[in-house]
Amino acid sequence: MNDVEVVVVGAGQAGLSSAYHLRRSGYEPGRDFVVLDHSPHPGGAWQFRWPTLTYDRVHGMHSLPGMELTGADPRRPSSEVIGGYFAAYERAFDLRVLRPVHVRAVREAGDGRLLVETGSGTWTARALINATGTWDRPFRPRVRGQETFAGRQFHTSRYPGPDAFAGERVVVVGGGTSAVQHLLEISRTAAATAWVTRREPVFTEGPFDAGRGRAAVALVEERVRDGLPPRSVVSVTGLPMTEEMRRARESGVLRRLPMFDRITPGGVEWDDGRAVAADSIVWATGFRAAIGHLAPLRLREPGGGIRMDGTRTVRDPRIHLVGYGPSASTVGANRAGRAAVREVRALLARPRASGGGAGPSPGRAAVRETAAR
């Protein structure tokens, strides 16, 4: 049994931001807080991205607090660039991330503390910052006949790159940025492609400025305040039109078809008689929040989501979700980490239920903020 004040679950952008602000506030890693990450290496979900997603194709990667990401080769895979950056960040601020550690469940420990059960031991804490993201919970809709398909099926989480589809007939399902990226590069190697989305895609022109960003965040934030599952960013912002996408639309590659009604051994079919033959189906249908380990705390609302007040869950003020809902972006994750730590500090400053003392006072463990760049 390991006793700390705060457990951070996840070491992606949001988890590292939270750990940085805890460290800066005077909390000592290993003694006052611990970061548990189930991934094998630094890099969060980025380490699992497909090789053709080079750094120059990443949308708006925001540097972590206290250490800029500079001088990256835009032609290198984003998994290498960001994985290396996260590893350097962990070393620079001595965050002592424990990995691979899989968190199985978080439940009541008694005396106002939380019990964090993992495959590598158990921790108790007065607060928990959950930064598990979505990558570990890919979503693939159930479609009639899916199990009869004679070809291959991939989700974005296991996308192998365009060379795997050379000479094939490929159906790409999904209306987000990843679906469009998959479709554009697969179309260069495949014999034929078809693009299927449940809703008509909305393409946006012009820069994604601060005003549009705030409006998008407000829409997602409204859902989590109401206890509804968060929507994806693209669902509220639309697809930003690029020159490559414009050419693909003119050539017919970005011609959208509505969602098919069934899958057959040789492809997909619609009730109106249309059919498309396929050797592979790529499901770029998104992800859901990976928060199953929080189920024992009963945080969900009747609407299926977790009601939030900022980063704090309304049902349990000890639990903060960062990188969830409106903070599910690199800049949003940074801000959420700072906000969560501010509230956690206020929580830990209160006396324990048993009359114990407060958490560590800021400055007890000074943070060396000189980063090796």
Side-chain angles (χ1 to χ4, degrees):
M1 188 76 71
N2 305 282
D3 297 324
V4 292
E5 297 292 272
V6 186
V7 169
V8 179
V9 184
Q13 186 100 10
L16 293 183
S17 171
S18 301
Y20 167 86
H21 287 291
L22 283 168
R23 191 89 163 86
R24 194 177 183 199
S25 297
Y27 295 91
E28 184 72 25
R31 182 186 64 187
D32 302 319
F33 75 92
V34 65
V35 183
L36 309 177
D37 185 32
H38 89 126
S39 296
H41 308 291
W46 291 101
Q47 65 193 277
F48 305 113
R49 296 296 202 270
W50 50 100
T52 51
L53 182 62
T54 49
Y55 186 60
D56 59 353
R57 300 182 69 192
V58 171
H59 291 290
M61 172 64 193
H62 198 81
S63 293
L64 285 158
M67 181 176 168
E68 292 292 321
L69 170 54
T70 58
D73 183 347
R75 296 165 298 181
R76 285 183 65 201
S78 59
S79 57
E80 296 178 7
V81 171
I82 299 173
Y85 169 56
F86 280 17
Y89 190 88
E90 291 178 17
R91 291 193 301 269
F93 296 105
D94 191 26
L95 299 180
R96 308 178 205 173
V97 177
L98 301 182
R99 62 168 58 89
V101 176
H102 177 64
V103 176
R104 295 172 176 166
V106 181
R107 61 183 82 250
E108 293 290 345
D111 192 26
R113 295 180 70 83
L114 296 161
L115 186 70
V116 182
E117 300 173 351
T118 83
S120 305
T122 303
W123 279 262
T124 69
R126 296 179 64 197
L128 182 135
I129 299 176
N130 192 82
T132 47
T134 62
W135 188 260
D136 296 315
R137 199 181 165 209
F139 172 73
R140 191 168 76 177
R142 296 184 67 83
V143 181
R144 183 157 48 103
Q146 203 164 21
E147 70 283 355
T148 70
F149 185 58
R152 302 180 300 164
Q153 299 186 58
F154 299 88
H155 188 272
T156 290
S157 60
R158 295 291 182 267
Y159 175 66
D163 293 343
F165 304 98
E168 291 191 354
R169 299 161 297 178
V170 183
V171 173
V172 177
V173 185
T177 304
S178 294
V180 172
Q181 289 181 345
H182 297 340
L183 180 67
L184 295 186
E185 60 182 27
I186 289 173
S187 68
R188 302 187 195 110
T189 64
T193 59
W195 183 31
V196 175
T197 72
R198 191 172 297 280
R199 301 179 185 85
E200 187 71 40
V202 176
F203 294 94
T204 59
E205 302 279 354
F208 188 77
D209 57 20
R212 288 173 63 184
R214 284 192 296 270
V217 168
L219 287 173
V220 180
E221 196 167 32
E222 183 179 353
R223 286 184 62 85
V224 298
R225 276 202 309 266
D226 292 340
L228 299 172
R231 293 171 61 186
S232 69
V233 174
V234 168
S235 70
V236 295
T237 63
L239 288 162
M241 178 62 72
T242 66
E243 191 57 41
E244 182 184 19
M245 291 164 64
R246 189 173 284 107
R247 290 194 301 267
R249 191 163 63 172
E250 291 169 356
S251 69
V253 171
L254 272 183
R255 183 176 66 89
R256 173 260 181 184
L257 296 171
M259 188 63 188
F260 42 80
D261 296 292
R262 60 189 161 274
I263 299 174
T264 67
V268 299
E269 292 181 351
W270 289 258
D271 286 343
D272 62 6
R274 283 181 294 179
V276 170
D279 302 298
S280 291
I281 300 174
V282 177
W283 297 92
T285 45
F287 300 80
R288 299 292 184 265
I291 51 178
H293 54 287
L294 301 179
L297 299 175
R298 301 174 184 244
L299 301 174
R300 289 192 185 274
E301 301 292 333
I306 297 177
R307 192 184 300 274
M308 304 290 297
D309 181 4
T311 63
R312 176 172 51 84
T313 66
V314 171
R315 286 181 179 255
D316 192 330
R318 299 169 299 176
I319 310 297
H320 288 259
L321 305 185
V322 292
Y324 174 89
S327 63
S329 67
T330 56
V331 64
N334 280 359
R335 293 170 179 165
R338 182 176 64 243
V341 169
R342 185 167 56 243
E343 290 216 26
V344 165
R345 289 179 62 194
L347 175 72
L348 298 185
R350 302 169 195 161
R352 299 174 191 258
S354 61
S361 59
R364 190 175 76 175
V367 179
R368 189 183 300 266
E369 295 199 29
T370 53
R373 301 180 183 233

